[in-house]
Amino acid sequence: MADNQSGMVAGIDVGGTFTDLVELDQSEGTVRMSKVPSTPDNQAYGVLDALNMAECDLAALDLIVHGTTTTTNAVLERKLSRTGLITTQGFRDVLELGRRTRPQPYGMTGQFTPIIPRNLRLEVPERIDASGVVVVPLDEAAVLAAGQALIEAGCEAVVVHFLHAYANPGHERRAGELLSRIWPNDHITLGHAILSESREFERGVTAAVNASVQPILARYLRRLSAELAKDGYGRDVLVMNGNGGMVSARKVTAEAAKTVMSGPASGVMAAVYTGRLAGMPELITYDMGGTSTDVALIRGAEPAVSNEIEIEYAMPIHVPMVDVRTVGAGGGSIARVNAAGLLEVGPESAGADPGPICYGRGGTRPTISDANLLLGRLDPCKLAVKGGVAMVDVEQVFLDTLGTPLGLSAVEAAEAVIRIANTKMAGAIRMVSLSLGADPRDFALFAFGGAGPLHAAALARELGVPHVLVPARPGITNAIGCVVADLRHDFVNTINTPLDVLENSALQDVFAQQAKEGERLISAEPVAINELRKLYSVDMQFTGQTHILRVDLEGPEVDMATLQQLFEAAYYKRFRVELPEIRANVVNANCSVIGVREALDLSALIDPAGRKDTLRAAQTGTREVRFESGTFDTPIYWRDHLPLTFTLNGPAIIEQMDSTVLIEPDDSATGDAHGNIVITIGGAA
């Protein structure tokens, strides 16, 4: 295990609109930050721009932790590498048949395109049954012939996905050995190595996603590493995974699918860290950026991690990920009147270039950010990045494209845009709370992203959430999440045994193997850790059911009677139904091994030297702001100048380099010792 402590560490998060950076120097207690437009064609350029803007000395950096949307974007936009599949004879269409669900809840509309086209899905004779017994031996010559055919077809990566390999991976391993002799690179994915659980469709899709993004991620990291080395950085880069942990760039491409959704996960980890310090362990995270909004649930300072996430229709990626739900509503989301004469907001975004009209970069279509500008919530002088933009230009666009078709003024159209956006975002929050049996009123709303603190109070009021927690630097919180994240490895193994015939030792043996492998992987990383934590759980269902339910355990040793009680309690909590007459079944055993890093001091995120003694000294002026309850002459404060602890009543606006905080009439805000702002909604206790 590495014994070096990271004195100077940089966290870099690449979003759809901006690339954010924070560099902490633990020895000096200083911080550097930057926010630059993302460069979608090559994200490495945006990373380098962020480093240059912050004037980071790459040679002096001890560690870079990077959250990237490279694989997420590749999957969502279907810009994937040409990939082939070798599977059991008779099962080439598993990836296309799926679960035979419908793309849309009603009607027969929509379409589905499998990750790997049928002509690149080849079959070979072999068969293993569900108990792991070989029924048909592997035809090794057929494997080599299939591999050669895929090479000639131009495939960059290959998946080996054999029936019941989770029960006996022998055939997949042998096929991998054979392919390694002829395959031109190391992009060979064995299905059981990525996901060792039953359900052939989910396991196959997960492996196919892994293989199809491997070459893309590998090329990106090679380019990035080369550019960083050229500028003097001589250490390893750690890459965020979707589970909220991180892994070395040297190893991450082997399990590339685990980096999908790593960007949103880093923000959740920052929320966990901040909430724990602020004494708020129960949080709903609300990350509104330029392109989309991501929400997640945190209970007891632990994020909800699931291996049952479906990124889009028929796209289950069943590796453990922080359970984040996304809607297409960000600051750059475009508003329009559709063919039916109805106002729509998103999911199309103005992105980083040209961006919203108010950025002054040539944008011509109305967005959420432009609506906030018209309502007085944003300062046009601070938004425009070049050349400036006249408020009258934004107003005219809203009137022409939205107001006139809807019979509204420009300001009324802006209000309508905000209401629709808030409705969409409130729906996403309900998905991670009410739909899972959690009451939003029992949580605080953790608002971040460049646009999150502008809308948080309205969402909290809509959902009955009593408090909003705004961190010190909401606009770069995802980058901060990269800095504070721990090392983490998650393991899932299928047991699929009824509880009344499962032996205690069988479950404990699986847990022991998982924990040992996690310890081995963490010890190989070039980062010092303070302690190892292990989290254990099982996925269970009543016999005959399809869907599974996660049951958390206090440790690896649990008797079957206790497990039955825990499952029945979890089932009742979720569904309010008792089924004592049906047998329970243990589907999967899960273990998470976490290498806890040294705690970092985030107090320097807002420079203490800039703070004023009074609120009046921190006030920069006033501005007319339109709220739902009316228009108010609203005081404007610069956050870096606010006293460390303060109390102010709304309406008020707090501006800072990376975000704007809106405090509505009847709400109040206080500052805490860690630089956070806590907004109390409508005087709630």
Side-chain angles (χ1 to χ4, degrees):
M1 186 180 300
D3 57 2
N4 64 296
Q5 294 293 331
S6 300
M8 189 179 293
V9 56
I12 305 170
D13 176 73
V14 179
T17 305
F18 290 106
T19 294
D20 303 327
L21 176 141
V22 58
E23 179 199 80
L24 291 176
D25 187 338
Q26 288 294 92
S27 59
E28 299 292 332
T30 58
V31 62
R32 289 186 174 93
M33 295 170 287
S34 63
K35 178 183 281 284
V36 301
S38 294
T39 51
D41 292 340
N42 186 346
Q43 292 184 355
Y45 294 142
V47 172
L48 296 171
D49 289 345
L51 288 163
N52 291 333
M53 177 172 282
E55 299 181 345
C56 293
D57 182 357
L58 285 172
L61 275 177
D62 293 293
L63 182 66
I64 291 177
V65 185
H66 181 27
T68 174
T69 56
T70 297
T71 53
T72 307
N73 292 344
V75 171
L76 295 178
E77 298 172 14
R78 291 298 183 100
K79 296 178 179 178
L80 301 167
S81 300
R82 190 170 176 84
T83 302
L85 172 76
I86 299 176
T87 190
T88 306
Q89 192 169 54
F91 288 86
R92 69 188 295 194
D93 292 322
V94 164
L95 299 190
E96 196 157 353
L97 291 171
R99 296 293 168 196
R100 305 314 300 152
T101 56
R102 294 175 296 179
Q104 303 295 334
Y106 303 102
M108 301 299 290
T109 62
Q111 61 183 3
F112 164 61
T113 303
I115 289 288
I116 301 175
R118 195 170 196 267
N119 65 303
L120 298 179
R121 304 196 300 260
L122 306 184
E123 300 175 347
V124 298
E126 76 84 37
R127 188 67 178 265
I128 291 174
D129 68 17
S131 60
V133 175
V134 175
V135 178
V136 177
L138 176 65
D139 188 331
E140 298 188 356
V143 171
L144 290 169
Q148 189 60 45
L150 292 173
I151 292 171
E152 293 172 1
C155 291
E156 285 189 89
V158 62
V159 182
V160 181
H161 174 54
F162 290 155
L163 197 66
H164 301 308
Y166 63 91
N168 179 354
H171 282 182
E172 281 195 354
R173 287 175 179 157
R174 179 56 181 161
E177 293 171 0
L178 294 168
L179 289 170
S180 65
R181 300 176 186 173
I182 63 171
W183 203 258
N185 54 49
D186 59 356
H187 301 319
I188 300 172
T189 295
L190 306 182
H192 79 276
I194 301 299
L195 183 63
S196 184
E197 68 172 56
S198 58
R199 294 185 295 181
E200 304 303 317
F201 170 62
E202 287 80 2
R203 186 160 52 87
V205 171
T206 301
V209 168
N210 188 80
S212 61
V213 299
Q214 266 186 334
I216 298 168
L217 182 61
R219 283 193 291 269
Y220 168 66
L221 291 176
R222 278 198 301 269
R223 288 196 300 265
L224 178 61
S225 297
E227 293 293 336
L228 292 174
K230 187 170 65 177
D231 289 345
Y233 183 69
R235 298 178 183 269
D236 202 3
V237 175
L238 297 186
V239 180
M240 288 294 299
N241 271 347
N243 65 359
M246 53 189 179
V247 68
S248 167
R250 292 179 288 104
K251 304 172 184 176
V252 71
T253 53
E255 297 182 333
K258 292 185 177 180
T259 65
V260 175
M261 299 301 288
S262 67
S266 63
V268 176
M269 301 318 295
V272 169
Y273 196 91
T274 306
R276 188 182 294 123
L277 289 176
M280 292 185 174
E282 311 292 319
L283 295 172
I284 298 172
T285 69
Y286 163 55
D287 173 11
M288 183 180 179
T291 306
S292 61
T293 292
D294 303 313
V295 299
L297 195 70
I298 297 172
R299 284 173 163 161
E302 290 288 349
V305 176
S306 172
N307 59 345
E308 292 284 306
I309 292 176
E310 190 168 281
I311 300 299
E312 61 179 37
Y313 171 72
M315 183 77 73
I317 304 181
H318 280 198
V319 294
M321 297 181 190
V322 174
D323 192 357
V324 176
R325 309 296 174 94
T326 302
V327 293
S333 293
I334 295 170
R336 64 192 176 281
V337 177
N338 64 21
L342 301 176
L343 180 63
E344 290 184 353
V345 180
E348 185 183 358
S349 172
D353 187 15
I357 305 168
C358 57
Y359 284 7
R361 292 167 148 242
T364 59
R365 303 172 69 183
T367 67
I368 294 175
S369 290
D370 297 315
N372 278 312
L373 180 79
L374 278 185
L375 298 178
R377 301 174 183 187
L378 293 175
D379 185 344
C381 298
K382 292 185 173 66
L383 277 177
V385 293
K386 69 174 184 180
V389 60
M391 178 78 79
V392 66
D393 295 337
V394 179
E395 187 171 357
Q396 191 64 48
V397 169
F398 266 73
L399 185 62
D400 292 344
T401 61
L402 303 178
T404 299
L406 296 171
L408 303 172
S409 69
V411 171
E412 289 170 337
E415 288 183 306
V417 168
I418 297 300
R419 281 198 297 271
I420 290 176
N422 286 348
T423 298
K424 290 180 68 173
M425 292 183 287
I429 293 173
R430 290 186 179 99
M431 280 195 296
V432 300
S433 56
L434 292 172
S435 67
L436 300 178
D439 189 338
R441 294 173 295 183
D442 296 333
F443 296 79
L445 191 63
F446 184 87
F448 63 108
L454 265 176
H455 296 255
L459 294 183
R461 182 171 286 103
E462 166 82 12
L463 296 162
V465 174
H467 301 288
V468 174
L469 176 62
V470 183
R473 293 294 178 187
I476 59 171
T477 294
N478 282 354
I480 295 169
C482 293
V483 169
V484 302
D486 296 319
L487 301 173
R488 177 168 178 149
H489 291 277
D490 296 287
F491 303 92
V492 181
N493 289 90
T494 291
I495 293 178
N496 205 21
T497 304
L499 195 59
D500 55 1
V501 299
L502 179 64
E503 297 181 2
N504 290 3
S505 59
L507 184 59
Q508 291 165 16
D509 287 347
V510 174
F511 282 146
Q513 293 170 9
Q514 292 172 328
K516 183 178 179 180
E517 178 63 9
E519 291 174 7
R520 184 189 70 79
L521 291 171
I522 287 177
S523 67
E525 297 287 7
V527 176
I529 62 170
N530 284 357
E531 64 171 312
L532 275 173
R533 293 177 57 222
K534 301 182 184 71
L535 305 177
Y536 299 95
S537 66
V538 289
D539 295 326
M540 299 183 66
Q541 61 187 183
F542 283 118
T543 301
Q545 288 188 327
T546 300
H547 298 288
I548 61 178
L549 194 64
R550 177 67 54 89
V551 177
D552 295 322
L553 307 177
E554 293 185 0
E557 298 181 359
V558 59
D559 61 83
M560 298 304 101
T562 301
L563 201 53
Q564 176 76 28
Q565 294 172 2
L566 291 172
F567 173 62
E568 290 180 356
Y571 196 92
Y572 182 79
K573 182 178 181 181
R574 175 71 183 275
F575 300 109
R576 287 296 189 262
V577 173
E578 293 180 342
L579 300 171
E581 68 280 2
I582 304 179
R583 293 192 308 167
N585 187 56
V586 178
V587 181
N588 301 315
N590 313 299
C591 176
S592 300
V593 184
I594 302 171
V596 181
R597 295 170 56 213
E598 180 183 14
L600 299 177
D601 182 7
L602 302 182
S603 61
L605 287 172
I606 293 183
D607 186 3
R611 295 188 181 279
K612 306 298 184 182
D613 293 331
T614 64
L615 283 172
R616 182 175 294 277
Q619 186 173 340
T620 59
T622 60
R623 188 165 66 237
E624 280 198 357
V625 180
R626 182 78 171 257
F627 297 91
E628 191 169 341
S629 56
T631 301
F632 295 83
D633 193 26
T634 303
I636 313 297
Y637 301 92
W638 187 247
R639 186 167 185 179
D640 289 28
H641 293 170
L642 287 171
L644 181 61
T645 56
F646 65 88
T647 299
L648 62 84
N649 296 318
I653 287 178
I654 300 174
E655 297 177 337
Q656 57 188 108
M657 177 273 288
D658 54 310
S659 188
T660 299
V661 184
L662 185 70
I663 302 165
E664 298 199 353
D666 299 326
D667 295 347
S668 62
T670 58
D672 71 9
H674 303 287
N676 305 307
I677 293 175
V678 179
I679 302 173
T680 300
I681 305 302

